[in-house]
Amino acid sequence: MPREVDHAQRRSEISGAVWQVVSESGLEGLTLRAVASAAGCTTGMVTHYFRDKKALLAHARSVMHRRMADRIEAMPVGAEDPRAHLSAVAEQALPLDEERHLEAVVWSSFLLTTRTDPELLREHSVSHASWVRRLTALVRAALSGEPEPGDLEDRVRALVVCLDGLALNAVTDPDAYPPDLQRRVLDGQLDLILEGNREGAVRSLHPQG
Amino acid sequence: MPREVDHAQRRSEISGAVWQVVSESGLEGLTLRAVASAAGCTTGMVTHYFRDKKALLAHARSVMHRRMADRIEAMPVGAEDPRAHLSAVAEQALPLDEERHLEAVVWSSFLLTTRTDPELLREHSVSHASWVRRLTALVRAALSGEPEPGDLEDRVRALVVCLDGLALNAVTDPDAYPPDLQRRVLDGQLDLILEGNREGAVRSLHPQG
DNA sequence: ACTGTCACGTAACATTCGTTACGCAACCTA
DNA sequence: TAGGTTGCGTAACGAATGTTACGTGACAGT
């Protein structure tokens, strides 16, 4: 076998180029030539590693999901304050730094294409349900010691849509939704959801914690 | 002047076709030929009423914004319960019926294109700020009688992103976010934001109010 | 050195798109 | 009835895109 190359790495590099193009030109500007240009190669190389455009997008999507999942799973679990843990995990879904902002852009771009593709919808559906389940467990843990509210499910949903809404707005208009605003809103939402679990919260005086 | 035709109406009809195409094929499937087909006419007629595709999209967008604004401005104001009024206005941003669902699909589709178009971003930015301001006034009114919390701005933001997140998820996966779930989450979010303003809230027993 | 395989660049291909030009029918005015 | 204007269908055009085919150099096995 002559001239062996690490296929996985090449594919990852090209997927990185996909992200870059989506980030600055949107999904509508995502062409094989643009990807090749961003990757500093030719379209021939792109087609050499991906059968067609659909496969290219699928790989870029899976890389995104893996990255997100890895970051969350890398969180230390258990020992610390349950509320801090919940907050830390939830924060992983927010575009608080450049890396996560890029991910959020890709996420939101792909999310809308999900609507018209039944296969992608199913994939999204189970992933979303899993995310809701994970947050439910964390919220329940953060509530331990208090009687479980009857509308816990709805509270978790409120948290989930809060995160999605924050991410969406931060992606659309980053200047209007800077990281500190995102953090404050999330923190406030957790206060509301946990309803005084953190007694005497003085968020308005120490927004950054 | 021979064969006079109501230009405004024709343009509205064609914009309706744009919505229809976006709804079932997404923005990527929005071609002049698809629009003409959905409108039951030819591409010649479309180009006769719109200089180019950009003008067509701009009109479809403006129709969407006008529809949303009209629905909100048509709300009766004042006499009733401030919280009910806030709830009613906020509900207008949710895809609770077929009409609003269609609007939400178009809204979310156009929203993402905003990111890569500075002109659209400015337009969105002022519109969004206006929306936040309106909700702020309503929340403040619903809070009257209680001391104004120091983090009122953040609470309004939490409401706004909750609405956006609900709409986004309902658009992406309608089955997972049916109207009654949306209503419950919004209602719960209002409870949290107004913090016991509706004393003895028994949402968990009477979710539908 | 010869051969085959892998990596990849080049380029042609058909398709699809937005756009533009052309043509005809309808209808008003004179 | 002749001419001009408007409404709109038809079709051609160039540009861009995804895909495919072909060619070439690099390297391993023999």
Side-chain angles (χ1 to χ4, degrees):
Chain A
M1 276 184 278
R3 192 83 119 76
E4 278 296 328
V5 165
D6 187 342
H7 270 233
Q9 180 175 346
R10 284 266 195 251
R11 288 164 66 92
S12 278
E13 289 173 13
I14 298 178
S15 285
V18 170
W19 287 29
Q20 189 178 330
V21 172
V22 170
S23 166
E24 61 191 28
S25 308
L27 254 184
E28 86 218 8
L30 185 76
T31 67
L32 293 191
R33 288 165 176 84
V35 169
S37 173
C41 67
T42 63
T43 65
M45 179 162 167
V46 176
T47 62
H48 182 69
Y49 286 100
F50 295 96
R51 194 185 347 266
D52 53 11
K53 193 179 182 182
K54 189 161 297 225
L56 177 60
L57 295 195
H59 187 261
R61 228 185 357 251
S62 82
V63 167
M64 177 192 69
H65 286 138
R66 172 131 310 275
R67 271 228 231 169
M68 289 182 167
D70 284 353
R71 221 186 20 249
I72 291 176
E73 288 172 5
M75 302 277 321
V77 60
E80 55 181 331
D81 176 19
R83 146 133 191 176
H85 188 219
L86 168 61
S87 173
V89 169
E91 262 193 11
Q92 301 308 318
L94 293 181
L96 292 172
D97 55 29
E98 208 163 330
E99 178 191 354
R100 274 174 286 180
H101 186 86
L102 182 57
E103 284 181 19
V105 169
V106 177
W107 165 79
S108 57
S109 298
F110 282 154
L111 187 59
L112 277 198
T113 71
T114 301
R115 204 177 49 81
T116 53
D117 187 327
E119 187 183 353
L120 288 183
L121 177 56
R122 248 178 35 85
E123 196 176 314
H124 161 82
S125 196
V126 304
S127 169
H128 187 73
S130 165
W131 174 236
V132 169
R133 234 176 294 120
R134 182 189 295 262
L135 284 183
T136 300
L138 294 178
V139 168
R140 187 174 281 127
L143 274 172
S144 77
E146 301 196 7
E148 182 169 317
D151 60 346
L152 183 127
E153 280 189 32
D154 293 345
R155 294 194 185 202
V156 174
R157 291 291 180 151
L159 173 59
V160 169
V161 299
C162 174
L163 292 172
D164 286 353
L166 272 175
L168 180 64
N169 277 285
V171 161
T172 306
D173 191 356
D175 292 337
Y177 285 79
D180 67 300
L181 173 61
Q182 297 179 49
R183 256 189 271 259
R184 281 208 322 273
V185 172
L186 170 59
D187 216 41
Q189 182 73 14
L190 291 180
D191 281 346
L192 295 174
I193 285 179
L194 303 179
E195 215 173 9
N197 192 39
R198 192 173 69 162
E199 67 282 351
V202 284
R203 274 182 306 104
S204 55
L205 296 178
H206 306 92
Q208 298 293 357
Chain B
M1 276 183 279
R3 190 83 116 76
E4 276 296 329
V5 165
D6 188 343
H7 269 232
Q9 179 175 347
R10 284 265 195 252
R11 289 164 66 93
S12 278
E13 287 174 14
I14 298 176
S15 285
V18 170
W19 286 31
Q20 189 178 330
V21 172
V22 170
S23 166
E24 60 191 29
S25 308
L27 253 184
E28 86 218 9
L30 185 75
T31 67
L32 293 191
R33 289 165 176 85
V35 170
S37 173
C41 65
T42 64
T43 65
M45 178 161 167
V46 175
T47 62
H48 182 69
Y49 286 98
F50 295 96
R51 194 186 346 266
D52 53 11
K53 192 179 181 181
K54 190 161 298 223
L56 177 60
L57 294 195
H59 186 262
R61 229 187 355 252
S62 80
V63 167
M64 177 191 69
H65 286 138
R66 172 132 309 276
R67 272 228 230 169
M68 288 182 166
D70 284 354
R71 223 188 17 250
I72 291 176
E73 288 171 5
M75 302 278 320
V77 60
E80 55 181 332
D81 177 19
R83 146 129 194 180
H85 188 219
L86 168 61
S87 174
V89 169
E91 263 193 11
Q92 301 307 319
L94 293 181
L96 293 172
D97 54 28
E98 208 164 329
E99 178 191 355
R100 276 175 283 180
H101 186 85
L102 181 57
E103 284 180 19
V105 169
V106 176
W107 165 79
S108 57
S109 298
F110 281 154
L111 187 59
L112 277 199
T113 72
T114 301
R115 203 178 50 80
T116 52
D117 187 329
E119 187 182 353
L120 288 183
L121 178 55
R122 248 178 34 85
E123 195 176 315
H124 162 82
S125 196
V126 305
S127 169
H128 187 73
S130 165
W131 173 237
V132 170
R133 235 176 295 118
R134 182 190 294 263
L135 285 182
T136 300
L138 293 178
V139 168
R140 188 174 281 125
L143 273 172
S144 77
E146 301 197 6
E148 180 169 317
D151 61 345
L152 182 127
E153 280 189 32
D154 292 345
R155 294 193 185 202
V156 174
R157 291 292 180 150
L159 173 59
V160 168
V161 300
C162 174
L163 292 172
D164 286 353
L166 273 175
L168 180 65
N169 277 285
V171 160
T172 306
D173 191 356
D175 292 337
Y177 285 80
D180 66 300
L181 173 62
Q182 298 179 48
R183 255 189 271 262
R184 280 207 322 272
V185 173
L186 170 58
D187 216 41
Q189 182 73 15
L190 291 180
D191 282 345
L192 295 175
I193 285 179
L194 302 178
E195 215 173 10
N197 191 41
R198 191 172 72 161
E199 67 283 351
V202 284
R203 274 181 307 102
S204 55
L205 296 178
H206 306 91
Q208 299 293 355

